[in-house]
Amino acid sequence: MKRYVYINDDESARDLYCDNCISNRKYTLLNFIPKNLWEQFSRFMNQYFLLIACLQLWPLITPVNPASTWGPLIFIFAVSATKEAWDDYNRYLSDKKANEKEVWVVMHGIRKLVQAQDIHVGNIIWLRENDEVPCDLVLIGTSDPQGVCYIETAALDGETDLKTRVIPSACMGIDSELLHKIKGVIECPSPDKDIRRFDANLRLFPPFLDNDVCPLTIKNTILQSCYLRNTEWACGVAVYTGNETKLGMCRGIPEPKLTAMDAMIDKLTGAIFVFQIVVVIVLGIAGNVWKDTEARKQWYVKYPEESPWFELLIIPLRFELLCSIMIPISIKVSLDLVKSLYAKFIDWDNEMIDQETGTPSHATNTAISEDLGQVEYILTDKTGTLTENKMIFRRCCINGVFYGNDSGDALKDVELHNAVSSRSPDVIHFLTVMAICNTVIPMKTKTGDIFYKAQSQDEDALVHAAARLHMVFVNKNANILEIKFNGSTIQYEVLETLEFTSDRKRMSVVVKDCQNGKILLLTKGADEAILPIACPGQQTRAFFEAVEQYSQLGLRTLCLAWRQLKEDEYEEWSLLFKEANSTLVDREWRIAEVCQRLEHDLEILGVTAIEDRLQDGVPETIEALRKAGINFWMLTGDKKNTAIQIALSCNFISPEPKGQLLLIDGKTEDEVRQSLERVLLTMRITTSEPKDVAFVVDGWALEIALKYYRKAFTELAILSRTAICCRVTPSQKAQLVELLKSCDYRTLAIGDGGNDVRMIQQADIGVGISGREGLQAARAADYSIGKFRFLKRLILVHGRYSYNRTAFLSQYSFYKSLLICFIQIFFSFISGVSGTSLFNSLSLMAYNVFYTSIPVLVSVLDKDLSEETVMQHPQILFYCQAGRLLNPSTFAGWFGRSLFHAIVVFVISIHAYAYEKSEMEEVSMVALSGCIWLQAFVVTLETNSFTILQCIAIWGNLASFYFINWIFSAIPSSGMYTIMFRLCRQPSYWTTVFLIVAAGMGPILALKYFRYTYRPSKINILQQAERLGGPILSLGSIEPQPRPILEKEVSPLSITQPKNRNPVYEPLLSDSPNTRRSFGSGAPFDFFQTQSRLSSSYSRNKDN
Amino acid sequence: MSSRGAASSSGGPQLGTSESSKRISKKPKYSRFTQQELPACKPILTPGWVIATFIAVGIIFIPIGLASLFASQRVVEIVHRYDEECVPPIFSGNQLAYIQSSITNKTCTKNFTVPKRMKGPVYVYYQLDNFYQNHRRYVKSRSDKQLRSKAGELDTSTCKPEATTGNNSPIVPCGLIAWSLFNDTYGFSMKNKVLDVSKKNIAWKSDQEHKFGSDVYPKNFQSGGLIGGAKLNASIPLSEQEDLIVWMRTAALPTFRKLYGKIETDLEANDEITVVIQNNYNTYSFGGRKRLVLSTTSWIGGKNDFLGIAYLTVGGFCMFLAIGFILLYVIKPRPLGDPAFLSWNRNPSGIMN
């Protein structure tokens, strides 16, 4: 589908395309209620509750007042709807602001101020400096004589640097006055969401007849929501408007992510639902049988002789309604509430603020905090995530000569400076490529200093380094580059820029030396993209070695090369390039193909090595998270050696004797298969051993493996705790995430750049680092953090607490609902299985939404272990990871507890209030009081730390229970008039309640204590250690149990990195001989690890 | 949601030049709540605390149990089942016919002796067994509005199947509960002197004042084809019909006692009491039992050993647990928080098993 935009045509386009009215709204005033209700009712739970509520309207079967379900249901719906409405209203306000903004538009040949929403496709829009762009424009004129303008695209892609945009060649040189009258047609694709592509053509009509179709690219457009900077004015033709702009198409509601925990809760809800149906069927049958055998004899019930056809259904339906409270209606609201609080805690966390930039962490997705605690795999990007992405030029190799090897900094290498001052041609060429083979824009400040605006950190580092070596890139004026070298100015004209793509892995510029007219091709790129296309005669060995050596050091390498072009060669190629540039289909591929025709027979100039320092705390973070049982995969576009070096330096993998690297490589299917099988074999053997085995795979082999040997690779992925994937493309990153997800692992992807976005969106949890590569990743992510090291806190503290809290909250919600439901069921056995409700409507309603919800909501403040303990013992995360706190067996525990408590409450209430006291309202209130008291004690027992808020909520709730019931007991028309006053005056009421508490809590306390002391979980042990303080210090006295170390030979399959593999491994963790030595040598706290880092943190602990 | 917000065009400005300054102001303010650092009390289940708790519960519960058992034992209670005895032997094979017939003599005289001194007031109850006052059909069949005031007389929608008479005039009081009002009567005499049974103040004051209207008079009551239970004097307002009010406080259990009246005088041990029972109420069709109960009262109510026994059991159980835990603690001490039990300190692979 194509769109033809007639420039400055006021009539035709008006009806064809939408106007520029932006609408982000989900609802309108009219459709809000039906649409919102429809959305809410698309959830199963809500449908269920609606069905129950509707059944309750049938007075024949309803056990209680329908208000007991309708009330909470309406409340819950109102809360969700209000939230939606509020969000939508805010969106409406912001839309309105954008729509009513006034912009200059040419209408009927006159420039007028109109509201942004009245812009139509084909209108010419005038923008002034710092104006926001109202819709997608094709640039046709700027104040700059060269037709360049600068825009800031931060709102679009998060990148804060300025980008240049040029007017199409056809519009070049048109007088600004004539722009009002310009006519023409732009042929462009239908709106899409790709903000990096715009493949269109422009043809101007007479008198601007150019007769030439002028290709348009994204370079000729300014997209909606960008800002015009450093340019006096610019004007353009609106091509996409309103919600059809690139930005508008990008908008959309992301698929809601479901946490593992939600899935588990849904599963448990399903189980309860089935249980409920079974109960209903059993009781329904029993009820009907009882009715026919017993109730018919009971004259006072006066069962009619003949009954309607649905008679058999009535009792089961009554029980269905009676049991409907088994599924707590409040759980959804409670969970939503606490989840948003978890997210707020992340936003608020002072310890996760990046002090350098003052960026706090932010949870964009408020619904998945629990998943953080259940992460099993972390897939991390390297550059900018593990490293600072602050590139510093460190070394270089020019034509076989290494600079900077001694000092570690080539800029301080005297020899290089000497070479520069002696004007060695190789060095000059090298520096020229460094300085101008890029897309950097130099800017002058008012004081005359030059600073650079670069999209890539590497380019920035190279230009800076060149400047330090006296090759200063001074000015870029349209196509003319100005370089100062040792005082003399050299000018180059940029003829073409062959841009960098991740597939090509290189970029080139074609420049013309303005002095001698020579045309040069300057190229820089990854070694494997440059070295194979070197001119046949050149010796590239030295460069290979240099690349090898630098990547061993963990440096990023780039190869620089050049070639002199003949005039006619260039001319010929230039036509092809232009043609490729104006293709509408597969343009990227065509361009790449054309570029390849020029980039050959290069003369390699040298290799640069750029250092990218590790971020603070990365090794510690990775170590801690690995101890927590999280597997790390590193996915990087970098070279294998660089990746391995970085991996080693940040504890990702262990050096040789402890760790083992298995390499999967190969260029053909067969090779890959063989190497994959070998690795798999070794993996299978070594998994039983405590050895750090990691596999390394590069993009090419990965492609083959994923395509042909998916099964084997999946098995490998399951076996391997660590992997390094180098040279991978963004889509491969996403594929790997997909692979792990398909094995039912919880994945977390962390990255900082645009190339990580797909992986971040694909993963269960996406974490973006708001770093130097822009905010793109942070935008797409569920969580954005300032530094990699915050990941530790995010997972160990926030993730873990969220998991624990939700685990308690959800199970407790079921417990309390089951408790009251079981009592109702028991009561039905003594009320002729007729479906009488023991509790009145008011109590039932308040029980679920009020009495039992508030105390448990403050469990979001509960901390089972202090943050410090968790940080020191990251292994404890295992409990969350494996879902130990919420699974069918823990749930069975709560189920049993509710059954037990229901028996206790029921038996005690009916026996204590037997005979003359067995008045319905009184018995019901006694049982209800018993439930409320029990639940207060249950929450107390299950709470690990009491803050003032928890005490208020738990005991205040108990007090408010009495207060509320006293109020209702004071209303003469209510069913429970005087009941509560009467009960509170009876000693037998209080003795009954205390008996219920003691009988209900005694066994539970005893059981918990027994487990806590004699079968403690790791959490319990740490709790005891942390709170008693003592035993941690007395650790030195504990002799570690000697364990035989299996001296087993690692299978000698010589598959892997062959160098010095040690057949006898040393265990990685504590009870190796080293550890015992360290115990002996009086480091009393070092029960944990041999690493000195940890033990020092312990001794610090002790000092405190 | 947020991606929409962030991407919307008005989201632009603050991402522009003012970004850095905004960011700093976005820095959250420190508070103990936001940092999750509210001062907290972190108790743990130490043996000391747990054992002390159990001992304390035991120590408190056993005396309370003894006290309530003692109180319950001091209550003197005379229970006399009469439903079987009061059927003449000729009807023993067909009790239903006896009770449903209008011509049989329902009067039945019983004697019993007071085993112990009963201090007044002595409460007279009737006890029904296997009578489901809590049956759903039954318990719902009443109209509180109608009972409360004359204005609600027509409000009988909830009373089915005893809502209206054949010609659609409302029954007051309507519903199954009122219709099945208990109608056995007891006449007490001692040493040939009539023993006064006070029928005043047997209902709750609050019911008389607020639930049952003083302007509501029985109407069309028990006038249908099927007579349920007692008839009401149509000239006495409902608020004065205390038997009805008592009956209408439905019982939660199928076995229940309802207050019949009070004997204000003391009864001495070995006093012979003669009761003349009008055995009208039909419990024979469903196998229900009827008992006459005379009982004194104590601070925990009537004679009910349950609380006392339960308290003693729970108290004893707690003591037992406490002793058990003490023994366990002595025999097999286990230091709390011993990191040697952390499996990752033993298992070199770092994976817990």
Side-chain angles (χ1 to χ4, degrees):
Chain A
M1 273 299 289
K2 277 180 186 164
R3 161 182 283 210
Y4 294 93
V5 177
Y6 293 91
I7 301 170
N8 231 344
D9 187 350
D10 291 322
E11 312 308 325
S12 71
R14 211 159 261 268
D15 311 317
L16 219 50
Y17 307 116
C18 66
D19 62 10
N20 197 34
C21 185
I22 300 163
S23 171
N24 288 310
R25 281 187 297 163
K26 215 162 133 189
Y27 309 107
T28 64
L29 222 51
L30 279 179
N31 75 7
F32 176 74
I33 289 174
K35 196 172 172 186
N36 185 268
L37 282 181
W38 176 254
E39 274 173 16
Q40 297 207 41
F41 279 123
S42 51
R43 295 192 202 119
F44 171 73
M45 282 265 249
N46 288 343
Q47 286 168 7
Y48 169 77
F49 288 128
L50 183 70
L51 178 73
I52 295 298
C54 288
L55 278 177
Q56 283 198 334
L57 293 178
W58 188 6
L60 187 62
I61 58 168
T62 178
V64 289
N65 194 324
S68 65
T69 303
W70 282 102
L73 193 69
I74 288 169
F75 174 75
I76 283 162
F77 272 61
V79 168
S80 317
T82 314
K83 187 168 161 269
E84 286 281 310
W86 176 249
D87 287 349
D88 213 48
Y89 179 67
N90 281 332
R91 285 195 286 265
Y92 164 72
L93 284 187
S94 74
D95 287 349
K96 193 175 165 199
K97 221 171 107 192
N99 283 335
E100 291 181 354
K101 199 177 212 172
E102 300 214 307
V103 285
W104 289 101
V105 176
V106 176
M107 293 259 185
H108 306 288
I110 309 147
R111 212 188 310 170
K112 278 194 224 162
L113 256 187
V114 298
Q115 288 191 345
Q117 56 189 339
D118 296 328
I119 296 173
H120 285 89
V121 169
N123 283 152
I124 293 177
I125 321 282
W126 287 76
L127 300 167
R128 288 153 196 286
E129 188 164 356
N130 297 334
D131 271 355
E132 191 188 338
V133 182
C135 59
D136 289 357
L137 305 175
V138 166
L139 208 55
I140 53 169
T142 76
S143 57
D144 184 276
Q146 303 297 330
V148 177
C149 72
Y150 296 94
I151 56 164
E152 188 186 271
T153 58
L156 198 61
D157 56 15
E159 294 167 18
T160 49
D161 57 307
L162 295 187
K163 295 198 174 63
T164 50
R165 292 290 187 257
V166 291
I167 62 176
S169 51
C171 303
M172 206 65 95
I174 297 176
D175 189 73
S176 66
E177 290 306 310
L178 287 174
L179 284 175
H180 285 226
K181 302 186 183 85
I182 203 163
K183 295 263 178 186
V185 61
I186 296 168
E187 182 190 340
C188 55
S190 289
D192 59 33
K193 53 166 82 171
D194 192 345
I195 57 167
R196 313 216 171 271
R197 264 173 73 170
F198 179 72
D199 303 337
N201 286 315
L202 165 74
R203 188 201 300 258
L204 294 180
F205 292 157
F208 306 99
L209 193 61
D210 204 359
N211 212 12
D212 204 11
V213 175
C214 172
L216 300 176
T217 68
I218 198 75
K219 281 291 227 184
N220 307 114
T221 62
I222 343 181
L223 300 184
Q224 190 181 36
S225 84
C226 297
Y227 283 82
L228 190 67
R229 304 277 188 216
N230 294 359
T231 312
E232 201 181 311
W233 59 263
C235 77
V237 182
V239 284
Y240 302 128
T241 49
N243 284 350
E244 291 180 349
T245 59
K246 299 249 180 203
L247 181 70
M249 301 293 284
C250 283
R251 273 182 221 128
I253 312 139
E255 277 284 295
K257 290 182 178 175
L258 190 70
T259 63
M261 209 154 194
D262 289 333
M264 179 56 83
I265 293 172
D266 283 355
K267 223 156 106 191
L268 295 175
T269 312
I272 289 292
F273 183 70
V274 171
F275 173 72
Q276 179 193 331
I277 296 294
V278 170
V279 166
V280 165
I281 290 171
V282 168
L283 287 179
I285 291 169
N288 277 324
V289 169
W290 199 89
K291 184 190 81 187
D292 288 334
T293 55
E294 294 294 317
R296 296 255 181 243
K297 292 189 226 153
Q298 284 160 347
W299 55 270
Y300 54 89
V301 178
K302 231 183 177 180
Y303 257 111
E305 283 310 314
E306 69 249 32
S307 47
W309 59 269
F310 51 82
E311 180 72 15
L312 273 182
L313 279 179
I314 287 179
I315 289 180
L317 280 177
R318 275 181 197 157
F319 279 110
E320 171 60 40
L321 291 185
L322 208 57
C323 295
S324 65
I325 42 168
M326 246 188 221
I327 297 173
I329 199 166
S330 59
I331 191 168
K332 179 95 193 42
V333 178
S334 314
L335 283 180
D336 280 354
L337 254 167
V338 296
K339 279 176 179 211
S340 35
L341 195 61
Y342 302 152
K344 274 283 162 235
F345 278 138
I346 292 173
D347 290 358
W348 285 331
D349 198 332
N350 267 351
E351 284 178 49
M352 297 213 301
I353 297 175
D354 186 4
Q355 296 301 341
E356 274 172 46
T357 57
T359 329
S361 301
H362 177 61
T364 312
N365 189 339
T366 56
I368 59 167
S369 297
E370 299 94 344
D371 248 10
L372 280 175
Q374 295 200 287
V375 170
E376 286 160 304
Y377 274 87
I378 293 182
L379 296 102
T380 168
D381 177 40
K382 184 178 74 69
T383 315
T385 306
L386 300 176
T387 61
E388 294 242 23
N389 204 10
K390 202 189 260 174
M391 305 296 173
I392 303 161
F393 179 80
R394 285 299 184 202
R395 296 170 197 227
C396 61
C397 164
I398 303 172
N399 210 1
V401 186
F402 287 81
Y403 297 102
N405 270 10
D406 308 327
S407 57
D409 188 355
L411 298 179
K412 287 179 186 145
D413 195 322
V414 187
E415 278 177 52
L416 182 57
H417 282 274
N418 288 344
V420 171
S421 45
S422 67
R423 297 189 180 234
S424 145
D426 284 332
V427 176
I428 301 294
H429 288 147
F430 188 81
L431 290 183
T432 313
V433 178
M434 271 171 77
I436 62 177
C437 179
N438 52 40
T439 52
V440 175
I441 302 157
M443 299 283 216
K444 270 207 177 96
T445 59
K446 291 199 177 87
T447 54
D449 295 330
I450 294 165
F451 68 99
Y452 298 106
K453 284 253 175 198
Q455 286 178 41
S456 136
Q457 297 289 323
D458 291 278
E459 290 185 345
D460 192 56
L462 289 180
V463 174
H464 274 284
R468 291 274 301 276
L469 294 167
H470 312 292
M471 181 74 83
V472 189
F473 180 23
V474 194
N475 196 7
K476 184 173 191 173
N477 203 342
N479 287 343
I480 308 295
L481 304 175
E482 230 176 79
I483 290 179
K484 266 206 179 108
F485 180 63
N486 280 353
S488 58
T489 307
I490 314 165
Q491 284 194 331
Y492 288 98
E493 186 189 347
V494 179
L495 298 175
E496 304 289 352
T497 305
L498 287 63
E499 287 192 20
F500 178 87
T501 63
S502 43
D503 294 323
R504 272 163 31 84
K505 288 177 182 145
R506 59 177 175 246
M507 69 101 41
S508 311
V509 288
V510 180
V511 293
K512 188 171 168 186
D513 191 329
C514 291
Q515 277 150 346
N516 51 24
K518 274 189 208 163
I519 298 176
L520 303 172
L521 172 74
L522 309 179
T523 307
K524 73 171 196 301
D527 53 302
E528 87 269 19
I530 300 280
L531 295 179
I533 53 171
C535 63
Q538 200 182 6
Q539 277 295 333
T540 52
R541 249 190 86 87
F543 300 114
F544 272 119
E545 271 167 23
V547 169
E548 180 81 1
Q549 189 189 340
Y550 291 147
S551 51
Q552 288 280 339
L553 294 164
L555 300 172
R556 296 159 67 90
T557 56
L558 280 175
C559 288
L560 308 187
W562 79 316
R563 179 160 79 95
Q564 194 168 336
L565 300 178
K566 293 191 191 76
E567 192 103 8
D568 51 344
E569 185 192 359
Y570 167 69
E571 293 295 338
E572 199 181 308
W573 177 82
S574 167
L575 288 175
L576 285 175
F577 189 61
K578 209 167 260 169
E579 188 194 285
N581 258 332
S582 56
T583 40
L584 286 179
V585 280
D586 286 337
R587 183 183 284 183
E588 204 171 298
W589 180 83
R590 283 288 309 275
I591 291 174
E593 198 201 45
V594 172
C595 290
Q596 214 164 2
R597 294 194 194 184
L598 197 68
E599 294 166 332
H600 59 83
D601 292 335
L602 300 175
E603 185 190 331
I604 312 291
L605 292 167
V607 180
T608 60
I610 294 168
E611 186 191 52
D612 187 7
R613 277 195 312 169
L614 276 189
Q615 283 185 21
D616 282 347
V618 168
E620 291 84 352
T621 305
I622 290 181
E623 195 188 332
L625 290 177
R626 277 167 57 87
K627 258 195 233 156
I630 298 174
N631 303 331
F632 266 91
W633 282 27
M634 177 153 92
L635 315 179
T636 173
D638 236 327
K639 271 177 297 300
K640 191 173 79 199
N641 285 338
T642 320
I644 292 174
Q645 282 313 313
I646 293 282
L648 274 174
S649 63
C650 59
N651 277 342
F652 208 83
I653 46 175
S654 316
E656 259 305 300
K658 282 185 191 170
Q660 188 179 8
L661 277 180
L662 309 169
L663 188 68
I664 302 170
D665 58 0
K667 293 276 169 252
T668 65
E669 270 180 51
D670 236 25
E671 282 171 36
V672 172
R673 183 177 54 82
Q674 279 171 10
S675 110
L676 191 62
E677 275 169 8
R678 278 196 311 252
V679 170
L680 210 51
L681 208 60
T682 336
M683 274 296 185
R684 288 197 194 115
I685 294 163
T686 48
T687 38
S688 53
E689 297 162 13
K691 191 163 170 164
D692 244 8
V693 186
F695 73 85
V696 183
V697 64
D698 67 1
W700 182 253
L702 186 68
E703 187 78 52
I704 294 171
L706 284 178
K707 205 163 168 188
Y708 300 105
Y709 310 111
R710 202 179 168 87
K711 222 178 127 212
F713 190 77
T714 309
E715 194 193 337
L716 181 69
I718 295 169
L719 285 174
S720 169
R721 301 195 60 214
T722 313
I724 298 170
C725 306
C726 35
R727 299 283 190 209
V728 289
T729 60
S731 65
Q732 279 180 325
K733 289 184 181 183
Q735 268 178 301
L736 284 171
V737 172
E738 185 63 26
L739 181 88
L740 287 174
K741 267 173 84 179
S742 71
C743 306
D744 256 351
Y745 286 119
R746 290 269 122 189
T747 52
L748 180 148
I750 179 165
D752 73 319
N755 58 346
D756 306 314
V757 169
R758 286 186 62 183
M759 149 172 107
I760 285 173
Q761 283 172 336
Q762 187 76 53
D764 292 313
I765 308 159
V767 180
I769 292 192
S770 35
R772 283 166 209 281
E773 270 185 50
L775 291 169
Q776 231 181 326
R779 284 255 173 103
D782 303 312
Y783 296 93
S784 69
I785 54 180
K787 286 272 186 286
F788 184 79
R789 64 167 189 275
F790 299 146
L791 191 62
K792 182 175 163 188
R793 197 175 158 78
L794 190 66
I795 289 175
L796 290 181
V797 174
H798 291 289
R800 191 172 170 282
Y801 283 154
S802 305
Y803 174 82
N804 289 354
R805 290 162 181 175
T806 301
F808 173 64
L809 184 95
S810 51
Q811 297 186 99
Y812 177 82
S813 297
F814 279 109
Y815 154 79
K816 54 122 185 188
S817 304
L818 283 170
L819 169 62
I820 201 148
C821 194
F822 277 132
I823 293 176
Q824 298 271 49
I825 291 171
F826 294 150
F827 182 69
S828 76
F829 289 119
I830 61 159
S831 63
V833 209
S834 57
T836 317
S837 169
L838 174 62
F839 303 104
N840 59 41
S841 316
L842 186 83
S843 307
L844 278 181
M845 184 167 77
Y847 180 79
N848 242 339
V849 278
F850 188 74
Y851 301 145
T852 53
S853 303
I854 290 175
V856 75
L857 275 184
V858 290
S859 72
V860 292
L861 299 170
D862 189 35
K863 290 163 127 186
D864 55 343
L865 295 170
S866 74
E867 290 165 17
E868 296 76 39
T869 316
V870 179
M871 291 295 214
Q872 283 164 15
H873 301 260
Q875 287 92 336
I876 207 69
L877 186 72
F878 174 78
Y879 278 83
C880 306
Q881 232 175 21
R884 286 278 179 94
L885 301 181
L886 174 71
N887 55 39
S889 74
T890 58
F891 187 73
W894 280 97
F895 187 90
R897 182 183 293 197
S898 62
L899 189 60
F900 169 65
H901 278 171
I903 292 172
V904 166
V905 171
F906 183 72
V907 168
I908 292 179
S909 335
I910 65 165
H911 280 101
Y913 274 71
Y915 303 124
E916 76 280 2
K917 283 195 231 154
S918 86
E919 200 277 318
M920 192 83 164
E921 297 281 347
E922 282 193 358
V923 173
S924 133
M925 282 321 286
V926 171
L928 188 69
S929 316
C931 292
I932 303 284
W933 275 85
L934 269 182
Q935 67 96 20
F937 277 92
V938 166
V939 176
T940 309
L941 191 67
E942 296 299 324
T943 301
N944 294 294
S945 64
F946 295 91
T947 64
I948 181 81
L949 289 177
Q950 274 147 311
C951 297
I952 291 174
I954 294 171
W955 303 114
N957 179 63
L958 196 57
S960 72
F961 165 74
Y962 282 100
F963 187 69
I964 289 170
N965 279 302
W966 282 332
I967 289 178
F968 280 107
S969 299
I971 301 171
S973 61
S974 87
M976 35 184 293
Y977 179 53
T978 71
I979 297 288
M980 210 60 195
F981 296 118
R982 221 174 264 277
L983 283 177
C984 287
R985 278 201 301 269
Q986 293 171 3
S988 57
Y989 168 75
W990 296 106
T991 47
T992 307
V993 167
F994 292 133
L995 181 67
I996 289 173
V997 170
M1001 293 313 294
I1004 287 176
L1005 177 67
L1007 200 66
K1008 184 168 173 167
Y1009 166 74
F1010 183 79
R1011 281 218 200 120
Y1012 195 78
T1013 315
Y1014 297 95
R1015 302 270 182 281
S1017 72
K1018 313 296 173 281
I1019 297 177
N1020 298 150
I1021 295 175
L1022 286 180
Q1023 254 171 10
Q1024 293 156 359
E1026 163 194 314
R1027 291 172 191 185
L1028 294 173
I1032 274 196
L1033 298 177
S1034 66
L1035 266 174
S1037 60
I1038 293 156
E1039 201 59 41
Q1041 288 159 8
R1043 255 171 63 115
I1045 293 167
L1046 295 163
E1047 305 258 331
K1048 195 169 120 200
E1049 182 136 341
V1050 171
S1051 84
L1053 294 159
S1054 56
I1055 336 150
T1056 57
Q1057 296 261 299
K1059 282 177 266 173
N1060 60 22
R1061 198 146 40 78
N1062 194 345
V1064 182
Y1065 73 88
E1066 283 180 71
L1068 271 174
L1069 296 182
S1070 63
D1071 52 359
S1072 65
N1074 300 347
T1075 324
R1076 240 171 282 147
R1077 236 174 285 132
S1078 81
F1079 269 103
S1081 66
F1085 321 107
D1086 197 357
F1087 63 89
F1088 210 77
Q1089 270 279 317
T1090 47
Q1091 266 79 0
S1092 58
R1093 214 180 356 262
L1094 266 175
S1095 55
S1096 72
S1097 79
Y1098 270 96
S1099 34
R1100 239 183 287 131
N1101 234 20
K1102 175 200 156 198
D1103 295 340
N1104 287 342
Chain B
M1 201 65 57
S2 65
S3 80
R4 290 167 139 260
S8 79
S9 51
S10 69
Q14 70 257 34
L15 286 156
T17 45
S18 58
E19 188 166 33
S20 53
S21 61
K22 273 272 156 84
R23 273 188 182 177
I24 284 154
S25 70
K26 249 199 294 185
K27 187 175 159 177
K29 283 187 192 77
Y30 181 84
S31 92
R32 278 172 165 271
F33 174 72
T34 60
Q35 299 306 307
Q36 308 190 54
E37 278 174 10
L38 286 174
C41 155
K42 298 177 178 177
I44 57 167
L45 296 175
T46 57
W49 275 106
V50 174
I51 291 168
T53 309
F54 278 120
I55 290 178
V57 171
I59 287 176
I60 296 169
F61 268 47
I62 290 174
I64 296 180
L66 288 173
S68 18
L69 204 55
F70 185 65
S72 164
Q73 292 295 337
R74 277 194 47 175
V75 172
V76 184
E77 193 182 69
I78 303 165
V79 184
H80 193 83
R81 180 173 169 189
Y82 64 86
D83 55 310
E84 298 268 305
E85 295 170 20
C86 284
V87 180
I90 39 163
F91 285 103
S92 62
N94 197 357
Q95 294 168 332
L96 203 55
Y98 164 77
I99 202 76
Q100 281 174 340
S101 156
S102 55
I103 50 164
T104 46
N105 180 15
K106 306 276 174 35
T107 314
C108 148
T109 312
K110 292 288 153 200
N111 294 317
F112 45 84
T113 46
V114 178
K116 264 193 204 162
R117 183 173 185 271
M118 292 172 93
K119 208 178 166 313
V122 175
Y123 293 91
V124 180
Y125 300 100
Y126 52 91
Q127 176 178 338
L128 292 177
D129 279 3
N130 202 20
F131 190 99
Y132 288 87
Q133 258 205 323
N134 55 14
H135 193 281
R136 203 195 117 92
R137 245 180 105 77
Y138 186 82
V139 81
K140 294 241 163 193
S141 184
R142 63 189 287 164
S143 167
D144 284 332
K145 271 199 192 135
Q146 193 201 44
L147 297 175
R148 193 175 301 126
S149 68
K150 196 162 176 60
E153 190 183 277
L154 293 172
D155 198 338
T156 59
S157 57
T158 54
C159 288
K160 273 170 225 161
E162 275 296 312
T164 51
T165 58
N167 54 8
N168 270 342
S169 54
I171 298 172
V172 182
C174 70
L176 287 174
I177 308 178
W179 175 72
S180 60
L181 176 62
F182 187 72
N183 59 356
D184 283 5
T185 55
Y186 313 117
F188 291 89
S189 58
M190 194 170 69
K191 297 168 191 157
N192 295 326
K193 263 172 64 190
V194 174
L195 203 57
D196 268 339
V197 177
S198 158
K199 302 273 278 175
K200 280 272 162 250
N201 298 330
I202 55 171
W204 293 2
K205 270 270 149 331
S206 60
D207 280 354
Q208 280 185 287
E209 280 160 14
H210 295 282
K211 298 253 168 199
F212 291 80
S214 54
D215 58 345
V216 186
Y217 291 90
K219 202 170 147 191
N220 299 327
F221 191 66
Q222 303 287 26
S223 60
L226 207 60
I227 307 295
K231 295 198 165 83
L232 294 173
N233 186 341
S235 59
I236 302 172
L238 289 188
S239 61
E240 303 299 321
Q241 307 264 14
E242 294 200 34
D243 279 328
L244 177 75
I245 298 173
V246 169
W247 181 252
M248 301 261 320
R249 278 270 154 209
T250 49
L253 308 176
T255 298
F256 58 89
R257 287 175 188 172
K258 292 207 176 285
L259 194 55
Y260 179 81
K262 287 184 262 183
I263 300 173
E264 300 289 354
T265 54
D266 295 356
L267 299 178
E268 299 302 329
N270 299 322
D271 276 354
E272 280 279 332
I273 297 178
T274 308
V275 193
V276 181
I277 302 167
Q278 287 297 325
N279 183 16
N280 297 322
Y281 204 68
N282 175 12
T283 57
Y284 301 98
S285 64
F286 52 88
R289 289 175 287 277
K290 293 190 278 192
R291 286 185 174 90
L292 175 65
V293 179
L294 275 79
S295 170
T296 57
T297 186
S298 71
W299 62 270
I300 57 157
K303 193 177 183 70
N304 187 352
D305 290 347
F306 174 79
L307 270 183
I309 292 169
Y311 259 78
L312 285 178
T313 315
V314 171
F317 181 66
C318 286
M319 286 311 245
F320 168 76
L321 279 176
I323 292 163
F325 283 138
I326 290 171
L327 288 179
L328 208 57
Y329 183 71
V330 172
I331 296 165
K332 211 178 150 196
R334 197 77 177 261
L336 285 182
D338 184 345
F341 294 111
L342 290 174
S343 60
W344 55 82
N345 285 339
R346 286 181 271 147
N347 183 349
S349 68
I351 302 163
M352 272 178 260
N353 34 31

